[in-house]
Amino acid sequence: MDELVLSVPGYDSAHGVVVPVEGGTVSVEIVDGSVEIFGDRAGLRDLARWCLALSDESAPSGAHIHLDPGTIPLSLDSAPLMLARDPRED
């Protein structure tokens, strides 16, 4: 089985959650009350990097990022997306 490896810098308290992006495209849609996320390969890897950065042990609970339409990787027609480390987590 092939393995996919992504490089993600650790959380930096001076800069927050910062990740390199490939420049892919992701679209977030809300359809009948369901959130649907569509992306090309690079966009899905970009989204995965954001999630991995938030999962870093040194990222504090409540750390979050706001991805607005047109912010890589979100397409211009995407719904905004917020990703966050659970603030109830120790």
Side-chain angles (χ1 to χ4, degrees):
M1 175 188 299
D2 289 337
E3 184 175 310
L4 179 63
V5 178
L6 295 174
S7 176
V8 179
Y11 181 81
D12 180 349
S13 61
H15 297 102
V17 180
V18 179
V19 299
V21 293
E22 292 180 48
T25 302
V26 170
S27 179
V28 178
E29 300 175 18
I30 301 172
V31 179
D32 297 327
S34 175
V35 177
E36 298 181 358
I37 299 174
F38 301 92
D40 60 20
R41 291 179 296 184
L44 292 172
R45 285 189 298 267
D46 289 343
L47 191 58
R49 283 186 188 88
W50 287 113
C51 292
L52 286 170
L54 286 167
S55 74
D56 184 356
E57 287 183 21
S58 57
S61 63
H64 64 281
I65 57 154
H66 293 270
L67 298 174
D68 294 317
T71 303
I72 295 175
L74 293 191
S75 64
L76 286 172
D77 61 345
S78 177
L81 178 65
M82 194 218 14
L83 300 172
R85 177 92 170 247
D86 191 338
R88 300 166 292 195
E89 182 181 73
D90 293 335

